Amino acid sequence: SCFARNNEIHSAYLGQIFYQRPGEKPHLILVLKTSSLGKEALNAMQTDIGVAIRGKLIPDGMDVMFYNGSGVSAEVVKLVKPFYVNT
């Protein structure tokens, strides 16, 4: 899996999010807890994951976020059990 190829990913959480904006629909959000990485490495990882999920049954798209301890990513981690844990 793309998570196994990226040893820096400690855990992954999948939830649903809805931003209250005109025309916005609920959609999936993927939150990744990772090792401390630079922006270039995070961008490469995000691209790798995007390629892996593109074409799957996700008609409304998916947000991919990295856990930063606050905001939306922290709420998802608090409310959802991880579906992937690097052991």
Side-chain angles (χ1 to χ4, degrees):
S1 78
C2 67
F3 298 126
R5 284 194 309 269
N6 291 288
N7 290 331
E8 300 88 356
I9 297 175
H10 299 288
S11 55
Y13 303 78
L14 187 63
Q16 188 176 48
I17 191 165
F18 175 68
Y19 297 109
Q20 293 185 342
R21 296 184 207 142
E24 186 75 28
K25 297 179 186 175
H27 60 278
L28 296 175
I29 181 169
L30 175 65
V31 177
L32 303 172
K33 272 191 173 181
T34 65
S35 303
S36 182
L37 300 169
K39 187 172 182 150
E40 189 174 300
L42 291 174
N43 287 341
M45 192 180 299
Q46 196 167 23
T47 298
D48 186 35
I49 292 165
V51 168
I53 63 174
R54 191 172 294 125
K56 305 298 181 212
L57 298 175
I58 306 173
D60 294 324
M62 179 180 345
D63 289 350
V64 177
M65 290 186 164
F66 293 98
Y67 177 78
N68 65 5
S70 65
V72 173
S73 67
E75 288 299 313
V76 171
V77 167
K78 183 169 69 173
L79 296 171
V80 178
K81 289 185 179 188
F83 71 89
Y84 171 81
V85 177
N86 186 351
T87 54

